[in-house]
Amino acid sequence: MMALLEMENVSKSYHAKAKVLENINLQIEKGKLISVIGPSGAGKSTLLRTINRMVQIDGGKIIFDGVDTTYYRKQSLRKMRRDIGMVFQHYNLVPRLTVIENVLHGRLGYKTTLQGLLNRFTEEEKQRAFSLLDTLGIVEHAYKRCDQLSGGQQQRVGIARALIQNPKLILCDEPIASLDPNASEVIMNYLKRITEEYDITCIINLHQVDVAKQYSDRIIGLNEGDVVFDGVPLQLTEEQINHIYGIKTRELITV
């Protein structure tokens, strides 16, 4: 089966002396939940942002859904991003707007600039937005401002906004880092459900190794821009964890 995403020798530097990513080679299958773990500064966020080209790579190739997107610009890039949803650690919502308005913003990639400014959304899009909020258990908050919601509820709005794009891939950058354990569990359960029921691939940056082991189909470990582990949760032994993080940081990643 053809991979949904292929990264071939992908490298990225922000400074001449320090590579953030170095010769990353990955093949990502469809409909899987994949966690990326590693210490702070390992390159996890940069890795995600190279996939949707929020960060431009210095070398290598990125193939998404069978097409080389490495040199996409403007219109091609905009079209590609329709197929790649993004969920952020700090939600990236418009606080003064309602929940339903924020969800519908996920359709802006399909609109002209004028349609976006005038909030021209179809009845079908609105019904889909309400349906997603219902699936995520927050439809009763549809007309509340987002800044009136808890962190876990706001993250569910972010997930609904990503889903309304009808993406093939969702990138989640530390989606539970700002949440308490109960809210984190709710979010991870929904992300797992998305991969299973919608056949959407989710790539999730996580600091919590135990969460990665519980929910992932596959775990990728990064350290200093290199892939130092790539396997299923059962293969992630204590020795492998120490290799990814270093023995001295082990106690910091399980709290």
Side-chain angles (χ1 to χ4, degrees), residues 33-46 48-49 89-90 172-179 184 188 191 203-216 219-224 236 241-242 244-246 249-255:
L33 192 150
I34 297 158
S35 293
V36 182
I37 63 172
S40 296
K44 300 188 301 295
S45 291
T46 298
L48 257 61
R49 283 165 166 74
Q89 176 180 344
H90 298 296
C172 305
D173 194 10
E174 303 285 0
I176 61 172
S178 302
L179 305 180
S184 296
M188 291 305 300
L191 292 173
I203 304 177
I204 307 174
N205 283 348
L206 289 171
H207 273 302
Q208 301 87 345
V209 174
D210 55 337
V211 174
K213 292 182 76 170
Q214 180 180 351
Y215 288 95
S216 305
I219 297 174
I220 295 166
L222 284 187
N223 189 300
E224 296 184 349
L236 188 65
I241 293 169
N242 289 336
I244 295 167
Y245 287 90
T249 60
R250 174 68 182 115
E251 65 273 10
L252 301 178
I253 60 171
T254 56
V255 295

Side-chain angles (χ1 to χ4, degrees), residues 75 78-79 82 104-112 165:
Q75 202 63 27
R78 188 169 185 258
K79 188 175 180 182
R82 295 175 186 171
L104 286 167
H105 278 183
R107 297 298 298 174
L108 290 177
Y110 294 87
K111 305 294 179 182
T112 65
Q165 295 178 216

Side-chain angles (χ1 to χ4, degrees), residues 1-6 27-30 63-67:
M1 185 174 68
M2 184 180 70
L4 176 67
L5 173 71
E6 297 176 75
Q27 290 196 340
I28 305 297
E29 296 177 0
K30 186 178 181 184
I63 299 168
F64 176 68
D65 202 23
V67 179

Side-chain angles (χ1 to χ4, degrees), residues 1-253:
M1 185 174 68
M2 184 180 70
L4 176 67
L5 173 71
E6 297 176 75
M7 305 182 78
E8 299 179 1
N9 298 314
V10 170
S11 297
K12 174 64 183 177
S13 300
Y14 293 114
H15 306 288
K17 293 183 180 179
K19 278 197 177 291
V20 182
L21 299 174
E22 186 156 14
N23 296 325
I24 299 294
N25 288 282
L26 293 170
Q27 290 196 340
I28 305 297
E29 296 177 0
K30 186 178 181 184
K32 301 294 184 182
L33 192 150
I34 297 158
S35 293
V36 182
I37 63 172
S40 296
K44 300 188 301 295
S45 291
T46 298
L47 178 71
L48 257 61
R49 283 165 166 74
T50 61
I51 293 169
N52 65 3
R53 301 280 310 288
M54 290 174 71
V55 168
Q56 304 303 319
I57 62 175
D58 297 329
K61 185 183 294 186
I62 297 175
I63 299 168
F64 176 68
D65 202 23
V67 179
D68 186 349
T69 64
T70 310
Y71 300 105
Y72 270 11
R73 296 287 184 273
K74 295 182 180 178
Q75 202 63 27
S76 297
L77 200 55
R78 188 169 185 258
K79 188 175 180 182
M80 179 199 76
R81 285 176 176 158
R82 295 175 186 171
D83 291 327
I84 304 176
M86 189 91 184
V87 176
F88 301 86
Q89 176 180 344
H90 298 296
Y91 324 126
N92 208 32
L93 305 173
V94 183
R96 62 182 175 80
L97 295 184
T98 64
V99 167
I100 196 70
E101 287 172 319
N102 271 278
V103 174
L104 286 167
H105 278 183
R107 297 298 298 174
L108 290 177
Y110 294 87
K111 305 294 179 182
T112 65
T113 302
L114 182 59
Q115 286 173 328
L117 288 170
L118 296 175
N119 289 320
R120 294 275 177 85
F121 299 106
T122 67
E123 281 304 311
E124 183 180 356
E125 287 170 329
K126 292 174 185 176
Q127 288 173 14
R128 173 68 171 154
F130 278 107
S131 176
L132 287 169
L133 290 174
D134 188 37
T135 298
L136 291 162
I138 50 171
V139 70
E140 69 273 18
H141 301 302
Y143 293 110
K144 286 184 181 178
R145 284 171 49 131
C146 276
D147 55 11
Q148 295 177 311
L149 304 185
S150 70
Q153 290 168 336
Q154 289 188 63
Q155 196 58 287
R156 281 186 265 175
V157 177
I159 293 171
R161 180 185 57 193
L163 284 173
I164 203 169
Q165 295 178 216
N166 294 322
K168 297 173 181 176
L169 171 66
I170 294 180
L171 306 173
C172 305
D173 194 10
E174 303 285 0
I176 61 172
S178 302
L179 305 180
D180 63 48
N182 288 337
S184 296
E185 183 178 4
V186 169
I187 293 302
M188 291 305 300
N189 283 336
Y190 278 121
L191 292 173
K192 185 66 174 175
R193 181 178 169 188
I194 285 165
T195 62
E196 292 174 347
E197 295 185 11
Y198 294 93
D199 202 29
I200 295 172
T201 301
C202 288
I203 304 177
I204 307 174
N205 283 348
L206 289 171
H207 273 302
Q208 301 87 345
V209 174
D210 55 337
V211 174
K213 292 182 76 170
Q214 180 180 351
Y215 288 95
S216 305
D217 297 302
R218 175 180 171 192
I219 297 174
I220 295 166
L222 284 187
N223 189 300
E224 296 184 349
D226 288 324
V227 174
V228 295
F229 176 83
D230 186 355
V232 298
L234 285 175
Q235 294 173 310
L236 188 65
T237 62
E238 192 77 14
E239 183 180 357
Q240 291 286 357
I241 293 169
N242 289 336
H243 181 52
I244 295 167
Y245 287 90
I247 295 171
K248 291 181 181 179
T249 60
R250 174 68 182 115
E251 65 273 10
L252 301 178
I253 60 171

